[in-house]
Amino acid sequence: MSIARLCLCAAVLLAGLAAAYAVVGLSRARSVVVGGLVALAGAAAVVCGGAAVLGGRLVVDLPWLLPLFGFRLDLDPLGGLFVAVAGGVVVVAGIYHVGYARGSGRTMQAVLPMFAVALWLVPAASTVATFLLCWELMAFTSLLLVLTEHRQRPAVARAGLWYAVLTHLGLVTILIGLTVFATHAGGSFDELRAVSGELSPAVRSVVFVLTFIGFASKAGIVPLHAWLPRAHPEAPSHVSALMSAAMVNLGAYGIVRVGFDLLGGGPVWWWLLVLALGAISAVYGILQAVVATDLKRMLGWSTTENLGLVLVGIGAAGIFVANGNEVVAGLALVAAFLHVVNHSAFKSVLFLSAGSVLHGTGVRDLDRLGGLRATMPTTTALFGAGALAASALPPGNAFVSEWLLLQSFVHGFSAGGMTSAITMTVAVAAVALTAGLGVATFVKAFGVGFLAKPRSAEAEDAVESPPTMLVGIGVMVAAIAVLSLAPGLLLPSLSGVASNLVGTDTNEVVSGVITVRLEYLVGSMSPLILAVGLLVGCVLVLVVLRAVGGRVRRNTRLWDCGAGPMTARMEYTATSFAEPLQRVFDDVLDPELDVDVTHVAESRYLVDSIEYRRRVPDRIEQRLYGPIVAMVRWWGTMGRRLANGSVHRYLAYGFGSLVVLLVVLAVTR
Amino acid sequence: MTEGGGMGVALVGVAAQVVLIAGGAPLLVGLMRQVRAKLEGRVGAGVVQPWRDLAKLLRKERLTPNGTSGLFAVAPLVLAATTLMVVAVGPFLSTRSPFDGVADLFVVVALLTLGAVSLALAGIDTGTAFGGMGASREMTILALVEPTLLVAILALSVPVGSTNLAAIVTATLDDPTRVLSPTTLLAGVALAVAVIAETGRLPVDNPSTHLELTMVHEAMILEYSGPDLAVVEWASATRLLVFVGLLANLLFPWGIATGGSVGLLLLAVLAFVAKTVVLAVGLAVGEVFMAKLRLFRVPELLAGSFLLALLAVAASFFVRVGVS
């Protein structure tokens, strides 16, 4: 029995035990046992996925379990990568669960392990039936988890409804797409792969586009993102982390699996579609994130942005393959994979820290936070690390993947004539816009949320979260540190996975442990030297300062224009921080403004109170889904009129149908 | 970029770069102020005045405003360290950088952004309205400059096939006609606008004002005093020189040392000083005739430069097709 097989069994078994304990076990120790078992299961999944990436293929065949195509798992390097990433997120979510879920309900704790299992089975599934079953398991368990707090807040139910509808529409398109594919072959992925070359271009395109719609909705890609910024804020924080850092990845996985692996690449327009939607999502997502004031909603929007960047990488890789430039394609795909890993790492840190803030203050609104560095120092440090990584600045991990992505654009610029030249320019412009706005977003989140003075009583009375929660986040911050300083440890294996998919002659497109080097292309970058250089620079400046002006520090008042101590109301809030950017992008964001002025009853010249509300709604959602929702509602009301309880009316329906039927028969005979 | 024996000379080059730029940056600011003063009919404080100011600030007491955290104290260090790193790795005097992996245009832009971010966070950290306002405006401008910078970089890198700074400079030295290509010209103008915005010069920000309505950079650093302020002021002067120097060397690289001899290095120092002085005087003269733009007109300026950068990329494609 290989290591991978052992670990997969262990992971599923441990998760099953956790679910069982959550149902029947003592309620006092429930969160400890469930969290511990889930974390262990996650660790097993990491090992299993890692072994698969390194080439240990894992096949589990249980044909009796499912009718039609049977239940079959086949974990290859591509699937292994996503299993390992999901496993890593599950580990920290499990540790965090111990402290966070103390005293919470039985259902959530029982469903959480099942969700984790689904996250590992989806990338491992290797028949159409298995894949769809696991996909639905993932969708259903995550829906239950989103609905955990539905008794506390009415918004949860609405978010759940949006999520349920969109995730199942996604399932339907994937189902149709894969069924169309499977009718031309058997149901196992091997058979699909074998037959894909013989399919007509029309069928191939139908399969790709249908599955792409489903996968894009899971990845939160515009315009199918509507569920994401609703569901993520309303779910418990470690569930948000699992969804945002592990589940959405599987959308990207699906696109790569179907597009590159099963269909073996395709025409340029497929990948232009992927790249264009990715670029739009990246820019639109970060634009909404920069004006959002709800901490978790902002993080949800940032997920749309990051998955958009991943799709830009995948799309670019597809374009390069179609143009016959496999080395650059490999580079773009490696960049996309690395960004998946990096995004999972920093987004789980950010969501879990946001959960810690919620735990300590009960507030998600950035405008009412602030000053947490004094009361929640550890959470502040952890969130700060995550925010640095997320803003794609050195020495953070996302910087490395964005650098690789940009390198692939520079090198692939003229690989395919006019098409690639134009698309690469647009891609760079999109990445560049998101880079700048991303920095502003996370400066806002960290600066306004954690620094300065508390803006509300809740923020003032904040208490630091229990150590188990912080340890969970801390583990992931350590992972971020490794990923940022030595991405070279991971790159060769990612490179192997990517070059398999795009079919390069070589296995390594990127190499080097300390300095990341592009093979066969010019380019190198060393995150470690960068970090050490920064440290040396700081020390150097400090030494010079000490030598020149070595007087003691003295505390003093802030400069308050002589008007007396400043109150917290005078501070910049998240809304005011983002106001200039919101104004710059007014045409895209189209914010709503309500000013209600109440006058004193005696005189119109005296104002009693002014109520000012500014909201930035999601315009794409409103324009696109608004009409559909309105139409469905209209249909519903019309339908209600059909059945008003009158027996005469129902008899008339019966009579009318009979007459119509007879007429039709008479005419067609 | 280094071969076995060249390491020693390369390190000397780096040291020379650091000393020249770190020491010369305040003088450049002094020069620009002096030019301005002369053109406005004032006597001016002299070129060395910024250094005198720095020396005075360094001798003062170190103050910590109440209610600020460690981040406020560390921010000037990070700002200075990022600037120093760029000074050390950029191709200002020599193309032989011992830090190959850092001398990348994307990395340089990211480092300078990191410095700006640390200062913005420090501004928010004070909890004053000014700090928040400065940080908000700085981040707005930065978010809009970033696309221009990166796309202009793409335009310059695509013909060379690398984003390595030294590689771009060397490519222009090898093929001087490149300077007159539409790509370089368009990218140069786009970069120049971006540089003006990044370094907080007119018409984007007025470095010599303390008016609430207009200030950006000054608002963030109002709470700094003494040695901390000296570091911030020195760093912003150095950033100005770094940007001007990069612009000069990316567009007109002549005089930069490609070999390892000390003579070449001396020549490079002269060439660098001449180039940056010309550019800085040009900038200062331009500023005399310019008024500051409203904050909300700045995006229009930056959008224009972004368009130029995009055109530069398009041009690089057609030029390349034409050549091959």
Side-chain angles (χ1 to χ4, degrees):
Chain A
M1 209 176 195
S2 70
I3 300 177
R5 184 181 294 258
L6 199 67
C7 285
L8 188 66
C9 292
V12 174
L13 206 68
L14 285 167
L17 272 178
Y21 187 87
V23 177
V24 297
L26 291 170
S27 71
R28 212 148 38 91
R30 195 181 286 144
S31 77
V32 180
V33 174
V34 171
L37 286 174
V38 167
L40 280 178
V46 171
V47 177
C48 166
V53 169
L54 295 175
R57 206 170 180 132
L58 164 72
V59 181
V60 178
D61 207 355
L62 305 168
W64 43 267
L65 199 63
L66 272 183
L68 288 174
F69 305 129
F71 187 86
R72 189 179 146 87
L73 301 177
D74 180 354
L75 196 59
D76 61 352
L78 172 64
L81 171 66
F82 284 85
V83 170
V85 171
V89 180
V90 169
V91 170
V92 291
I95 304 174
Y96 186 87
H97 182 91
V98 175
Y100 186 81
R102 189 168 297 149
S104 59
R106 196 179 291 244
T107 325
M108 188 267 265
Q109 305 211 33
V111 176
L112 188 77
M114 293 199 261
F115 179 44
V117 169
L119 289 175
W120 303 322
L121 291 186
V122 168
S126 85
T127 68
V128 171
T130 320
F131 183 82
L132 289 172
L133 186 77
C134 297
W135 189 265
E136 175 54 25
L137 179 66
M138 178 176 83
F140 183 65
T141 47
S142 58
L143 176 60
L144 286 182
L145 290 172
V146 167
L147 289 173
T148 306
E149 288 166 13
H150 71 101
R151 278 184 220 283
Q152 282 92 323
R153 296 187 303 276
V156 177
R158 247 189 341 269
L161 188 63
W162 274 92
Y163 180 47
V165 170
L166 274 168
T167 195
H168 283 98
L169 283 181
L171 177 78
V172 168
T173 60
I174 297 174
L175 178 82
I176 299 173
L178 287 182
T179 315
V180 169
F181 200 177
T183 49
H184 293 85
S188 86
F189 282 3
D190 287 329
E191 288 168 299
L192 294 180
R193 231 170 260 138
V195 85
S196 73
E198 299 150 23
L199 294 181
S200 74
V203 174
R204 286 165 59 90
S205 296
V206 165
V207 171
F208 181 76
V209 170
L210 280 174
T211 53
F212 174 62
I213 292 171
F215 291 132
S217 89
K218 184 57 67 178
I221 293 303
V222 172
L224 301 164
H225 64 287
W227 63 274
L228 203 147
R230 285 166 190 269
H232 285 200
E234 301 303 341
S237 290
H238 60 316
V239 174
S240 320
L242 278 173
M243 288 173 71
S244 194
M247 186 180 78
V248 293
N249 290 349
L250 297 178
Y253 162 80
I255 296 166
V256 174
R257 172 68 82 197
V258 173
F260 283 102
D261 185 27
L262 298 185
L263 290 169
V268 173
W269 70 264
W270 290 8
W271 304 109
L272 281 178
L273 180 73
V274 175
L275 188 141
L277 286 181
I280 293 171
S281 308
V283 175
Y284 191 73
I286 198 65
L287 210 52
Q288 288 284 353
V290 82
V291 294
T293 54
D294 181 322
L295 184 57
K296 286 178 78 179
R297 196 174 157 87
M298 184 209 92
L299 293 175
W301 278 116
S302 149
T303 300
T304 292
E305 176 230 338
N306 281 293
L307 263 288
L309 289 180
V310 170
L311 252 59
V312 168
I314 294 173
I319 293 173
F320 296 144
V321 170
N323 287 326
N325 198 337
E326 279 88 6
V327 174
V328 188
L331 181 60
L333 209 52
V334 168
F337 287 157
L338 188 63
H339 200 68
V340 166
V341 176
N342 286 337
H343 170 244
S344 296
F346 69 69
K347 195 48 69 65
S348 44
V349 166
L350 290 172
F351 261 121
L352 297 179
S353 316
S356 172
V357 171
L358 202 55
H359 187 270
T361 64
V363 175
R364 275 186 348 217
D365 187 358
L366 280 171
D367 286 346
R368 296 174 61 206
L369 288 169
L372 297 180
R373 63 172 145 76
T375 42
M376 306 179 78
T378 318
T379 305
T380 304
L382 295 169
F383 189 92
L388 176 68
S391 50
L393 288 176
N397 56 354
F399 175 69
V400 184
S401 42
E402 287 200 9
W403 183 82
L404 279 176
L405 204 57
L406 288 169
Q407 289 298 326
S408 76
F409 299 153
V410 169
H411 290 288
F413 181 75
S414 41
M418 186 82 92
T419 328
S420 76
I422 292 172
T423 44
M424 287 313 110
T425 313
V426 174
V428 168
V431 173
L433 252 176
T434 58
L437 290 170
V439 170
T441 305
F442 286 100
V443 165
K444 178 191 76 177
F446 182 64
V448 174
F450 294 83
L451 303 179
K453 286 197 271 284
R455 293 179 183 80
S456 66
E458 291 95 330
E460 206 159 350
D461 303 335
V463 276
E464 186 60 286
S465 305
T468 40
M469 284 166 67
L470 301 175
V471 167
I473 314 172
V475 169
M476 204 44 125
V477 168
I480 289 183
V482 174
L483 281 172
S484 357
L485 298 181
L489 296 175
L490 201 63
L491 282 170
S493 26
L494 292 185
S495 191
V497 177
S499 41
N500 255 340
L501 289 165
V502 297
T504 45
D505 309 329
T506 148
N507 261 337
E508 292 213 340
V509 280
V510 187
S511 70
V513 175
I514 291 181
T515 303
V516 178
R517 278 183 201 288
L518 316 181
E519 297 288 313
Y520 309 98
L521 299 166
V522 188
S524 61
M525 202 261 293
S526 170
L528 192 63
I529 294 184
L530 206 63
V532 172
L534 277 178
L535 206 62
V536 170
C538 283
V539 172
L540 206 69
V541 178
L542 198 63
V543 167
V544 171
L545 266 188
R546 280 280 148 80
V548 182
R551 296 220 206 154
V552 272
R553 273 190 178 273
R554 186 164 65 85
N555 281 2
T556 171
R557 256 171 78 185
L558 279 169
W559 185 64
D560 47 24
C561 309
M566 296 203 167
T567 67
R569 268 182 65 87
M570 296 175 185
E571 287 176 87
Y572 253 51
T573 58
T575 312
S576 47
F577 185 87
E579 202 270 348
L581 274 169
Q582 182 197 309
R583 215 194 272 205
V584 170
F585 292 100
D586 234 2
D587 294 339
V588 187
L589 293 170
D590 197 9
E592 277 168 11
L593 188 64
D594 277 339
V595 184
D596 287 342
V597 183
T598 318
H599 296 282
V600 178
E602 290 82 45
S603 164
R604 266 188 52 75
Y605 298 102
L606 297 174
V607 172
D608 185 39
S609 65
I610 296 180
E611 204 180 305
Y612 179 91
R613 263 191 315 272
R614 186 156 210 178
R615 222 167 64 83
V616 185
D618 178 358
R619 291 294 169 189
I620 293 187
E621 182 196 301
Q622 282 189 345
R623 301 262 154 78
L624 198 72
Y625 295 90
I628 300 178
V629 172
M631 202 191 72
V632 170
R633 188 160 291 156
W634 175 82
W635 184 255
T637 10
M638 292 313 280
R640 210 179 301 154
R641 273 190 220 160
L642 288 175
N644 64 351
S646 146
V647 179
H648 300 105
R649 190 174 271 210
Y650 299 156
L651 287 173
Y653 290 154
F655 178 70
S657 324
L658 189 66
V659 169
V660 170
L661 193 69
L662 288 174
V663 169
V664 168
L665 281 176
V667 171
T668 51
R669 274 299 272 285
Chain B
M1 287 294 123
T2 25
E3 294 84 42
M7 196 63 171
V9 184
L11 283 176
V12 171
V14 168
Q17 242 170 238
V18 173
V19 171
L20 178 73
I21 294 179
L27 296 180
L28 190 83
V29 172
L31 176 75
M32 288 174 75
R33 285 191 199 151
Q34 191 66 23
V35 169
R36 225 191 131 113
K38 287 283 175 218
L39 286 175
E40 288 170 353
R42 294 185 280 120
V43 177
V47 175
V48 201
Q49 186 58 35
W51 261 123
R52 283 190 216 116
D53 291 343
L54 288 181
K56 184 181 73 185
L57 286 173
L58 278 173
R59 283 196 304 273
K60 294 206 169 205
E61 202 176 10
R62 317 182 67 147
L63 299 178
T64 306
N66 285 332
T68 58
S69 67
L71 203 138
F72 181 79
V74 171
L77 297 183
V78 176
L79 178 71
T82 52
T83 317
L84 266 181
M85 267 198 87
V86 176
V87 169
V89 303
F92 297 105
L93 297 182
S94 156
T95 52
R96 305 177 130 222
S97 166
F99 309 108
D100 191 21
V102 189
D104 179 280
L105 256 174
F106 291 133
V107 177
V108 164
V109 170
L111 275 175
L112 292 171
T113 309
L114 180 65
V117 164
S118 69
L119 211 54
L121 284 175
I124 300 177
D125 192 35
T126 60
T128 65
F130 276 131
M133 183 184 75
S136 160
R137 291 179 177 177
E138 175 89 354
M139 284 300 116
T140 304
I141 294 174
L142 186 128
L144 301 172
V145 171
E146 200 91 341
T148 309
L149 276 177
L150 293 186
V151 176
I153 289 170
L154 176 82
L156 290 177
S157 322
V158 159
V160 184
S162 164
T163 52
N164 190 290
L165 278 164
I168 298 174
V169 169
T170 321
T172 316
L173 282 177
D174 292 343
D175 176 18
T177 55
R178 213 184 270 277
V179 172
L180 287 176
S181 80
T183 310
T184 318
L185 292 175
L186 286 167
V189 177
L191 273 180
V193 176
V195 165
I196 288 171
E198 278 269 305
T199 52
R201 310 294 305 187
L202 282 170
V204 175
D205 184 14
N206 190 346
S208 55
T209 174
H210 274 85
L211 201 63
E212 293 91 331
L213 284 175
T214 63
M215 59 183 173
V216 180
H217 178 78
E218 291 297 321
M220 282 193 297
I221 62 169
L222 270 178
E223 294 300 331
Y224 281 113
S225 57
D228 287 335
L229 182 61
V231 172
V232 172
E233 290 292 352
W234 170 81
S236 60
T238 310
R239 284 163 71 92
L240 176 66
L241 179 52
V242 161
F243 272 111
V244 170
L246 275 180
L247 196 61
N249 273 359
L250 285 175
L251 304 179
F252 313 103
W254 292 282
I256 196 166
T258 46
S261 84
V262 180
L264 279 176
L265 218 54
L266 282 177
L267 186 73
V269 171
L270 286 179
F272 182 72
V273 170
K275 277 185 282 190
T276 46
V277 163
V278 168
L279 268 180
V281 168
L283 201 57
V285 171
E287 283 185 348
V288 173
F289 297 100
M290 228 178 265
K292 192 191 165 298
L293 279 177
R294 274 181 62 208
L295 183 68
F296 292 106
R297 297 294 299 279
V298 172
E300 295 169 18
L301 177 76
L302 295 174
S305 76
F306 182 59
L307 187 67
L308 286 179
L310 279 179
L311 287 176
V313 176
S316 83
F317 175 71
F318 290 112
V319 168
R320 191 162 188 172
V321 167
V323 167
S324 59

